[in-house]
Short mmCIF file of all heavy atoms in Angstrom, two decimals:
data_model
loop_
_atom_site.label_atom_id
_atom_site.label_comp_id
_atom_site.label_asym_id
_atom_site.label_seq_id
_atom_site.Cartn_x
_atom_site.Cartn_y
_atom_site.Cartn_z
N GLY H 1 353.32 97.32 109.89
CA GLY H 1 353.53 95.92 110.29
C GLY H 1 353.91 95.81 111.75
O GLY H 1 353.51 94.86 112.44
N LEU H 2 354.67 96.79 112.23
CA LEU H 2 355.03 96.81 113.64
C LEU H 2 353.80 96.92 114.53
O LEU H 2 353.68 96.23 115.54
CB LEU H 2 355.97 97.99 113.91
CG LEU H 2 356.25 98.32 115.38
CD1 LEU H 2 356.99 97.17 116.04
CD2 LEU H 2 357.06 99.60 115.49
N GLY H 3 352.87 97.77 114.13
CA GLY H 3 351.64 97.90 114.91
C GLY H 3 350.87 96.60 114.99
O GLY H 3 350.35 96.24 116.05
N LEU H 4 350.79 95.89 113.88
CA LEU H 4 350.12 94.59 113.88
C LEU H 4 350.85 93.59 114.77
O LEU H 4 350.23 92.80 115.48
CB LEU H 4 350.04 94.05 112.44
CG LEU H 4 349.12 94.83 111.49
CD1 LEU H 4 349.23 94.26 110.08
CD2 LEU H 4 347.69 94.79 111.98
N ALA H 5 352.19 93.63 114.72
CA ALA H 5 352.97 92.71 115.55
C ALA H 5 352.72 92.98 117.03
O ALA H 5 352.57 92.04 117.83
CB ALA H 5 354.45 92.85 115.22
N LEU H 6 352.66 94.25 117.40
CA LEU H 6 352.41 94.59 118.79
C LEU H 6 351.01 94.16 119.23
O LEU H 6 350.81 93.70 120.35
CB LEU H 6 352.58 96.10 118.99
CG LEU H 6 354.02 96.62 119.04
CD1 LEU H 6 354.02 98.13 119.03
CD2 LEU H 6 354.74 96.09 120.27
N ALA H 7 350.06 94.32 118.31
CA ALA H 7 348.68 93.94 118.65
C ALA H 7 348.55 92.44 118.84
O ALA H 7 347.77 91.97 119.67
CB ALA H 7 347.74 94.41 117.55
N ALA H 8 349.31 91.68 118.07
CA ALA H 8 349.21 90.21 118.12
C ALA H 8 350.16 89.59 119.14
O ALA H 8 350.08 88.40 119.41
CB ALA H 8 349.50 89.62 116.74
N ALA H 9 351.06 90.42 119.71
CA ALA H 9 352.11 89.85 120.55
C ALA H 9 351.59 89.36 121.89
O ALA H 9 352.15 88.44 122.46
CB ALA H 9 353.20 90.90 120.79
N SER H 10 350.51 89.97 122.38
CA SER H 10 349.96 89.61 123.69
C SER H 10 351.05 89.58 124.76
O SER H 10 351.43 88.53 125.24
CB SER H 10 349.29 88.24 123.61
OG SER H 10 348.68 87.91 124.82
N PRO H 11 351.58 90.74 125.13
CA PRO H 11 352.71 90.77 126.03
C PRO H 11 352.42 90.41 127.47
O PRO H 11 353.28 90.52 128.31
CB PRO H 11 353.17 92.24 125.94
CG PRO H 11 351.96 93.00 125.57
CD PRO H 11 351.14 92.07 124.73
N ALA H 12 351.24 89.91 127.77
CA ALA H 12 350.94 89.49 129.14
C ALA H 12 351.79 88.33 129.55
O ALA H 12 352.46 88.05 129.12
CB ALA H 12 349.49 89.05 129.24
N GLY H 13 352.27 87.58 129.93
CA GLY H 13 353.15 86.49 130.17
C GLY H 13 354.57 86.86 129.94
O GLY H 13 354.93 87.25 128.87
N ASN H 14 355.39 86.74 130.96
CA ASN H 14 356.79 87.15 130.86
C ASN H 14 357.67 86.14 131.58
O ASN H 14 358.26 86.41 132.60
CB ASN H 14 356.96 88.54 131.47
CG ASN H 14 358.33 89.11 131.17
OD1 ASN H 14 358.98 88.73 130.21
ND2 ASN H 14 358.76 90.03 132.02
N ARG H 15 357.71 84.96 131.04
CA ARG H 15 358.46 83.89 131.67
C ARG H 15 359.94 84.24 131.73
O ARG H 15 360.53 84.66 130.77
CB ARG H 15 358.26 82.60 130.88
CG ARG H 15 358.92 81.39 131.52
CD ARG H 15 358.53 80.15 130.75
NE ARG H 15 359.04 78.95 131.40
CZ ARG H 15 358.69 77.74 131.08
NH1 ARG H 15 357.82 77.55 130.11
NH2 ARG H 15 359.19 76.70 131.69
N THR H 16 360.56 84.06 132.89
CA THR H 16 361.95 84.49 133.04
C THR H 16 362.96 83.44 132.65
O THR H 16 363.95 83.77 132.04
CB THR H 16 362.22 84.87 134.49
OG1 THR H 16 361.08 84.82 135.26
CG2 THR H 16 362.77 86.20 134.60
N HIS H 17 362.77 82.19 133.02
CA HIS H 17 363.77 81.16 132.77
C HIS H 17 363.23 80.11 131.79
O HIS H 17 362.06 79.76 131.81
CB HIS H 17 364.19 80.50 134.08
CG HIS H 17 364.80 81.47 135.05
ND1 HIS H 17 365.96 82.17 134.78
CD2 HIS H 17 364.40 81.89 136.27
CE1 HIS H 17 366.25 82.96 135.81
NE2 HIS H 17 365.31 82.82 136.72
N VAL H 18 364.13 79.59 130.99
CA VAL H 18 363.77 78.62 129.94
C VAL H 18 364.51 77.32 130.21
O VAL H 18 365.70 77.35 130.53
CB VAL H 18 364.15 79.18 128.55
CG1 VAL H 18 363.85 78.17 127.46
CG2 VAL H 18 363.42 80.49 128.29
N PRO H 19 363.84 76.17 130.08
CA PRO H 19 364.52 74.89 130.28
C PRO H 19 365.68 74.69 129.30
O PRO H 19 365.66 75.18 128.17
CB PRO H 19 363.40 73.86 130.03
CG PRO H 19 362.13 74.61 130.23
CD PRO H 19 362.41 76.01 129.81
N LEU H 20 366.69 73.95 129.75
CA LEU H 20 367.91 73.76 128.96
C LEU H 20 367.63 73.03 127.64
O LEU H 20 368.25 73.34 126.62
CB LEU H 20 368.95 72.98 129.77
CG LEU H 20 370.30 72.75 129.09
CD1 LEU H 20 370.96 74.07 128.72
CD2 LEU H 20 371.21 71.92 129.99
N ASP H 21 366.70 72.07 127.65
CA ASP H 21 366.45 71.32 126.42
C ASP H 21 365.91 72.22 125.31
O ASP H 21 366.22 72.03 124.13
CB ASP H 21 365.49 70.16 126.69
CG ASP H 21 364.15 70.62 127.26
OD1 ASP H 21 364.11 71.71 127.88
OD2 ASP H 21 363.15 69.91 127.07
N ARG H 22 365.12 73.23 125.69
CA ARG H 22 364.63 74.17 124.68
C ARG H 22 365.75 75.07 124.18
O ARG H 22 365.78 75.45 123.01
CB ARG H 22 363.48 75.00 125.24
CG ARG H 22 362.27 74.16 125.58
CD ARG H 22 361.05 75.01 125.83
NE ARG H 22 359.90 74.18 126.14
CZ ARG H 22 358.68 74.64 126.26
NH1 ARG H 22 358.45 75.92 126.08
NH2 ARG H 22 357.69 73.82 126.55
N TRP H 23 366.65 75.43 125.08
CA TRP H 23 367.78 76.26 124.66
C TRP H 23 368.67 75.53 123.66
O TRP H 23 369.18 76.13 122.71
CB TRP H 23 368.62 76.67 125.87
CG TRP H 23 368.20 77.95 126.52
CD1 TRP H 23 367.84 78.15 127.81
CD2 TRP H 23 368.13 79.23 125.89
NE1 TRP H 23 367.52 79.47 128.04
CE2 TRP H 23 367.70 80.15 126.87
CE3 TRP H 23 368.37 79.69 124.59
CZ2 TRP H 23 367.52 81.51 126.60
CZ3 TRP H 23 368.18 81.04 124.31
CH2 TRP H 23 367.76 81.93 125.30
N LEU H 24 368.86 74.23 123.86
CA LEU H 24 369.74 73.48 122.96
C LEU H 24 369.23 73.50 121.52
O LEU H 24 369.99 73.76 120.58
CB LEU H 24 369.88 72.03 123.46
CG LEU H 24 370.67 71.85 124.76
CD1 LEU H 24 370.64 70.39 125.21
CD2 LEU H 24 372.11 72.32 124.57
N SER H 25 367.94 73.25 121.35
CA SER H 25 367.39 73.27 120.00
C SER H 25 367.42 74.68 119.42
O SER H 25 367.67 74.87 118.22
CB SER H 25 365.95 72.74 120.02
OG SER H 25 365.12 73.54 120.85
N ALA H 26 367.20 75.69 120.26
CA ALA H 26 367.24 77.07 119.77
C ALA H 26 368.64 77.46 119.34
O ALA H 26 368.84 78.10 118.30
CB ALA H 26 366.74 78.01 120.87
N LEU H 27 369.65 77.07 120.12
CA LEU H 27 371.03 77.41 119.79
C LEU H 27 371.46 76.76 118.49
O LEU H 27 372.11 77.39 117.64
CB LEU H 27 371.96 76.98 120.93
CG LEU H 27 371.83 77.77 122.24
CD1 LEU H 27 372.63 77.12 123.35
CD2 LEU H 27 372.27 79.21 122.05
N VAL H 28 371.10 75.49 118.32
CA VAL H 28 371.47 74.79 117.10
C VAL H 28 370.77 75.41 115.89
O VAL H 28 371.38 75.64 114.84
CB VAL H 28 371.11 73.29 117.21
CG1 VAL H 28 371.27 72.59 115.86
CG2 VAL H 28 372.00 72.61 118.25
N GLY H 29 369.49 75.69 116.03
CA GLY H 29 368.74 76.29 114.93
C GLY H 29 369.27 77.66 114.54
O GLY H 29 369.42 77.97 113.35
N CYS H 30 369.57 78.51 115.53
CA CYS H 30 370.08 79.84 115.24
C CYS H 30 371.46 79.77 114.60
O CYS H 30 371.76 80.53 113.66
CB CYS H 30 370.14 80.68 116.52
SG CYS H 30 368.54 81.29 117.07
N ALA H 31 372.32 78.89 115.10
CA ALA H 31 373.65 78.75 114.53
C ALA H 31 373.58 78.31 113.08
O ALA H 31 374.30 78.83 112.21
CB ALA H 31 374.48 77.76 115.35
N ALA H 32 372.69 77.36 112.79
CA ALA H 32 372.54 76.87 111.42
C ALA H 32 372.00 77.96 110.50
O ALA H 32 372.49 78.15 109.37
CB ALA H 32 371.62 75.66 111.39
N ALA H 33 370.99 78.71 110.97
CA ALA H 33 370.41 79.77 110.14
C ALA H 33 371.42 80.88 109.88
O ALA H 33 371.56 81.35 108.74
CB ALA H 33 369.16 80.33 110.83
N ALA H 34 372.14 81.31 110.93
CA ALA H 34 373.12 82.39 110.76
C ALA H 34 374.25 81.96 109.84
O ALA H 34 374.70 82.74 108.98
CB ALA H 34 373.67 82.80 112.13
N ALA H 35 374.73 80.72 110.01
CA ALA H 35 375.82 80.23 109.16
C ALA H 35 375.39 80.14 107.70
O ALA H 35 376.15 80.53 106.79
CB ALA H 35 376.30 78.87 109.66
N ALA H 36 374.19 79.63 107.46
CA ALA H 36 373.70 79.51 106.08
C ALA H 36 373.55 80.87 105.41
O ALA H 36 373.95 81.05 104.25
CB ALA H 36 372.36 78.76 106.07
N LEU H 37 373.00 81.83 106.13
CA LEU H 37 372.82 83.17 105.57
C LEU H 37 374.16 83.86 105.34
O LEU H 37 374.36 84.54 104.33
CB LEU H 37 371.95 84.01 106.50
CG LEU H 37 370.47 83.63 106.53
CD1 LEU H 37 369.77 84.26 107.73
CD2 LEU H 37 369.78 84.04 105.25
N ALA H 38 375.10 83.69 106.29
CA ALA H 38 376.42 84.30 106.14
C ALA H 38 377.16 83.72 104.94
O ALA H 38 377.77 84.46 104.15
CB ALA H 38 377.23 84.12 107.42
N LEU H 39 377.12 82.40 104.78
CA LEU H 39 377.79 81.78 103.65
C LEU H 39 377.17 82.21 102.33
O LEU H 39 377.87 82.46 101.34
CB LEU H 39 377.73 80.25 103.79
CG LEU H 39 378.62 79.65 104.88
CD1 LEU H 39 378.35 78.15 105.01
CD2 LEU H 39 380.10 79.90 104.56
N ALA H 40 375.83 82.31 102.32
CA ALA H 40 375.15 82.76 101.10
C ALA H 40 375.57 84.18 100.74
O ALA H 40 375.76 84.51 99.56
CB ALA H 40 373.64 82.69 101.29
N GLY H 41 375.74 85.03 101.74
CA GLY H 41 376.15 86.40 101.47
C GLY H 41 377.60 86.50 101.02
O GLY H 41 377.91 87.25 100.09
N LEU H 42 378.48 85.76 101.67
CA LEU H 42 379.90 85.84 101.34
C LEU H 42 380.21 85.28 99.96
O LEU H 42 381.25 85.61 99.37
CB LEU H 42 380.72 85.10 102.40
CG LEU H 42 380.73 85.74 103.80
CD1 LEU H 42 381.42 84.84 104.80
CD2 LEU H 42 381.40 87.11 103.76
N ARG H 43 379.33 84.44 99.44
CA ARG H 43 379.54 83.89 98.10
C ARG H 43 379.11 84.85 96.99
O ARG H 43 379.36 84.59 95.82
CB ARG H 43 378.76 82.58 97.95
CG ARG H 43 379.37 81.42 98.75
CD ARG H 43 378.47 80.20 98.71
NE ARG H 43 379.05 79.10 99.49
CZ ARG H 43 378.41 77.98 99.79
NH1 ARG H 43 377.14 77.82 99.39
NH2 ARG H 43 379.00 77.04 100.48
N ARG H 44 378.47 85.93 97.38
CA ARG H 44 378.01 86.90 96.39
C ARG H 44 378.96 88.10 96.33
O ARG H 44 379.61 88.43 97.32
CB ARG H 44 376.59 87.38 96.73
CG ARG H 44 375.54 86.31 96.47
CD ARG H 44 374.20 86.67 97.09
NE ARG H 44 373.14 85.78 96.65
CZ ARG H 44 372.93 84.57 97.13
NH1 ARG H 44 373.74 84.10 98.08
NH2 ARG H 44 371.95 83.82 96.68
N PRO H 45 379.04 88.76 95.18
CA PRO H 45 379.88 89.96 95.08
C PRO H 45 379.28 91.10 95.89
O PRO H 45 378.09 91.07 96.25
CB PRO H 45 379.86 90.27 93.57
CG PRO H 45 378.56 89.68 93.09
CD PRO H 45 378.34 88.45 93.91
N PRO H 46 380.08 92.13 96.19
CA PRO H 46 379.54 93.29 96.93
C PRO H 46 378.31 93.87 96.24
O PRO H 46 378.29 94.06 95.03
CB PRO H 46 380.71 94.28 96.92
CG PRO H 46 381.92 93.42 96.82
CD PRO H 46 381.52 92.27 95.93
N GLY H 47 377.28 94.11 97.01
CA GLY H 47 376.03 94.62 96.46
C GLY H 47 374.89 94.35 97.41
O GLY H 47 375.08 93.97 98.57
N ARG H 48 373.68 94.50 96.91
CA ARG H 48 372.50 94.40 97.77
C ARG H 48 372.26 92.98 98.28
O ARG H 48 371.86 92.80 99.44
CB ARG H 48 371.28 94.91 97.00
CG ARG H 48 371.32 96.42 96.81
CD ARG H 48 370.27 96.89 95.84
NE ARG H 48 370.28 98.35 95.75
CZ ARG H 48 369.73 99.03 94.78
NH1 ARG H 48 369.12 98.39 93.79
NH2 ARG H 48 369.78 100.34 94.76
#
């Protein structure tokens, strides 16, 4: 799967800076996803 990801990644383009409005949505989305996954895990007993 890694090989496929590298083949499809097209690493040509390497933009250095990102506009603030895009960062805001990314930060909110990541915080929500991490919090939801963490809460789901903490509600379960020790295990897989």
Side-chain angles (χ1 to χ4, degrees):
L2 169 64
L4 292 176
L6 283 172
S10 184
N14 190 23
R15 184 173 185 169
T16 355
H17 299 298
V18 177
L20 182 59
D21 58 335
R22 295 193 180 188
W23 270 123
L24 290 175
S25 60
L27 292 171
V28 171
C30 284
L37 288 165
L39 288 174
L42 292 173
R43 288 173 181 170
R44 288 168 170 79
R48 289 169 176 163

